[in-house]
Amino acid sequence: MSSIRYSGLPKVLVHSEVLHPRLGAALHWALGSVLGLGWEWEGNAQEFTTSDAPWKLQYGGIPVAGHWIRPCGLLAGSERTANPPEDGSASGAPMDPLALIFWMASRMEEQTGLERRDLHGRFDPTGSIPVSKGWLVRPVCETWAFELGRQVLGKEWPAHEKRLQAEYRVSPTLDVDSAFAFRGKGPWRTTAAWLRDVGTGNWGRSVRRMRTVLGPTPDPYDTYAQAAEWHGEMGFEPRWFFLLAGFGAHDKGLPSGSAALRALMRTLESAHPGSVQWHPGYAAAPDPARLAREHRVFSEIMGHAPIASRQHYLRMVPGITRRALLELGIQEDHTEGHALMTGFRGGFSRPRPWYDLDRETLTSLMVHPFAAMDATLCRYMEMAPSEVPHHLARISENVKEVGGTLSLLWHNESLAPLNEWSGWGEVYPNVLKAVR
């Protein structure tokens, strides 16, 4: 869980009367995850005052040395509030940046019991505090952490800021909800689908289905070679998240026993070891037993367990889903992002360890946020294909300011310009060019 990236630099010495779990998490996120610095806690005020540590941060108490923050109280207890701590002072900087970072990054407003949810059980961000304050458009917690770094590091800050800004990177990730449109689904599903095509008068689709299954016609969702070419041209290594859930109303991928699916997963993995990961099904989010079954299927196919996952439909019951993922040995959760809009749901672009609000503890599960999803841009925001690269370029500029990670969520089927994705054939490569 270490986030120290600059071990050759001094550690920040932190003083508070008590190191509460929430305070520890906020310090880990701000100083470690964002600034890449180590830190040590010193509970004795005299030892803190006389220490020759060059960088000091004091949280509460009577100011004695270094940069001092007046606590607002949120980090000392277990209160949950839908409203953030006061986020501004006369100087424009947060009055208690650590509390504000904790409120935003813990996703506290989503776990008060009063939050609005959509028909899939997902948090509805419409009218939420981050939306009303305009926080989603940038990794705002990292901006606040940069301001804290400026206060703590003083004259050493400009050099460190440049180091951090140089960390900017792009992380393309692709969900594979249905590896192929027609191939690999077995005789029963193929026949039923063909009869449905005929029954609805979709003759073109019925012919293409049979030609693809029985002949040399390429499957429209077989966009993997093209994606590999784009990634290779621009020096990106993608992550693929494969759905392996049993067939259901929202889980319509290939059966996990499909030879075509298994061959595809192994081929992609051989090209980039570690690139093939797990996409738990719709019904698995609140069900640890389902998660465990799907996890076993992935492990059987690949010969090893996954280390990363992203929930289908972005469905997440934090205390249940993420604890179950931890029990299964998952190290990375890539679910954080909104379906309705682009932006930074937790105020972070960089990975950070998940804080379990129910148990008030920082865990080893790393949350990897994404900033934008193809389905969001097309279905919810109804954005014209030509506007998408410009929109994401603007988001990338905000990430570059803090040297963060711009993670994108795409789907293999959106790379095929069919049906709702008509006109999207060149969107993905143009996006990659715009943000690299």
Side-chain angles (χ1 to χ4, degrees):
M1 195 168 62
S2 174
S3 299
I4 300 174
R5 302 186 298 281
Y6 300 98
S7 57
L9 295 178
K11 291 183 178 181
V12 177
L13 188 64
V14 178
H15 170 61
S16 64
E17 292 184 358
V18 179
L19 184 60
H20 294 284
R22 291 183 174 188
L23 174 58
L27 289 166
H28 187 105
W29 291 337
L31 300 180
S33 298
V34 180
L35 303 185
L37 300 173
W39 60 277
E40 291 181 351
W41 176 71
E42 175 55 71
N44 185 288
Q46 181 63 31
E47 293 292 332
F48 177 75
T49 304
T50 58
S51 169
D52 60 358
W55 298 334
K56 295 182 179 181
L57 172 62
Q58 182 180 350
Y59 192 74
I62 299 172
V64 293
H67 179 62
W68 179 74
I69 296 175
R70 183 194 300 275
C72 71
L74 183 67
L75 302 185
S78 58
E79 172 196 8
R80 296 191 194 183
T81 173
N83 296 308
E86 181 62 42
D87 63 296
S89 64
S91 67
M95 296 176 66
D96 185 347
L98 293 174
L100 196 53
I101 288 170
F102 181 82
W103 181 87
M104 183 71 176
S106 69
R107 302 311 306 126
M108 185 178 292
E109 71 170 338
E110 300 185 20
Q111 301 177 64
T112 63
L114 302 174
E115 67 277 0
R116 291 175 53 184
R117 298 195 171 271
D118 67 11
L119 59 89
H120 299 295
R122 303 174 300 200
F123 174 73
D124 182 353
T126 306
S128 67
I129 296 293
V131 170
S132 66
K133 289 184 174 288
W135 288 348
L136 281 189
V137 298
R138 64 181 65 249
V140 69
C141 288
E142 295 177 35
T143 300
W144 294 329
F146 266 46
E147 178 58 32
L148 181 62
R150 184 175 292 107
Q151 297 292 336
V152 174
L153 272 61
K155 65 181 181 180
E156 303 297 327
W157 171 250
H160 192 55
E161 182 180 32
K162 289 182 179 179
R163 295 186 197 103
L164 294 171
Q165 289 173 334
E167 293 180 348
Y168 172 75
R169 61 185 291 266
V170 178
S171 176
T173 68
L174 299 97
D175 286 358
V176 184
D177 299 341
S178 187
F180 301 106
F182 305 134
R183 290 178 53 207
K185 296 188 176 181
W188 294 110
R189 280 180 62 184
T190 298
T191 301
W194 181 80
L195 290 172
R196 185 173 62 250
D197 292 341
V198 172
T200 57
N202 196 334
W203 300 106
R205 185 176 176 87
S206 68
V207 171
R208 183 165 189 176
R209 186 184 300 278
M210 287 299 101
R211 285 179 174 173
T212 301
V213 172
L214 301 176
T217 301
D219 191 281
Y221 287 0
D222 189 355
T223 54
Y224 309 99
Q226 179 63 80
E229 182 178 335
W230 288 330
H231 293 142
E233 287 175 356
M234 295 177 220
F236 293 138
E237 291 193 7
R239 281 279 189 85
W240 300 89
F241 292 85
F242 274 81
L243 184 70
L244 300 172
F247 187 78
H250 298 94
D251 298 319
K252 297 184 178 181
L254 271 65
S256 60
S258 165
L261 172 65
R262 292 175 173 232
L264 172 63
M265 292 173 67
R266 292 165 181 161
T267 298
L268 292 173
E269 175 72 7
S270 65
H272 295 288
S275 64
V276 172
Q277 298 295 337
W278 176 35
H279 194 35
Y282 183 93
D287 190 340
R290 282 180 183 266
L291 284 168
R293 285 197 297 271
E294 294 178 28
H295 181 270
R296 286 194 296 272
V297 170
F298 182 100
S299 302
E300 187 270 320
I301 292 173
M302 300 303 295
H304 60 80
I307 65 167
S309 69
R310 179 187 287 125
Q311 298 300 126
H312 194 29
Y313 277 73
L314 308 180
R315 296 186 78 225
M316 172 70 65
V317 185
I320 295 175
T321 312
R322 285 185 169 142
R323 281 191 216 118
L325 293 176
L326 277 167
E327 286 290 325
L328 292 171
I330 296 298
Q331 301 170 26
E332 304 172 7
D333 171 41
H334 291 249
T335 308
E336 185 175 89
H338 288 305
L340 283 180
M341 57 192 69
T342 57
F344 302 91
R345 183 172 179 172
F348 270 77
S349 69
R350 289 174 168 88
R352 68 187 188 281
W354 171 56
Y355 189 87
D356 187 336
L357 275 173
D358 293 332
R359 297 182 177 177
E360 294 291 351
T361 186
L362 195 66
T363 74
S364 62
L365 181 65
M366 298 299 292
V367 175
H368 287 245
F370 68 87
M373 177 171 64
D374 52 3
T376 300
L377 297 158
C378 178
R379 296 172 190 163
Y380 295 103
M381 298 178 71
E382 299 182 344
M383 192 172 291
S386 60
E387 177 58 25
V388 172
H390 302 291
H391 178 74
L392 294 184
R394 290 192 292 270
I395 291 178
S396 76
E397 290 303 315
N398 292 333
V399 179
K400 288 176 184 177
E401 288 182 6
V402 293
T405 297
L406 180 67
S407 182
L408 303 173
L409 195 177
W410 239 250
H411 292 78
N412 62 303
E413 60 258 41
S414 73
L415 304 184
L418 298 173
N419 304 320
E420 67 174 321
W421 301 110
S422 178
W424 280 68
E426 295 299 314
V427 170
Y428 186 61
N430 288 337
V431 164
L432 296 181
K433 292 175 185 176
V435 303
R436 66 175 172 175

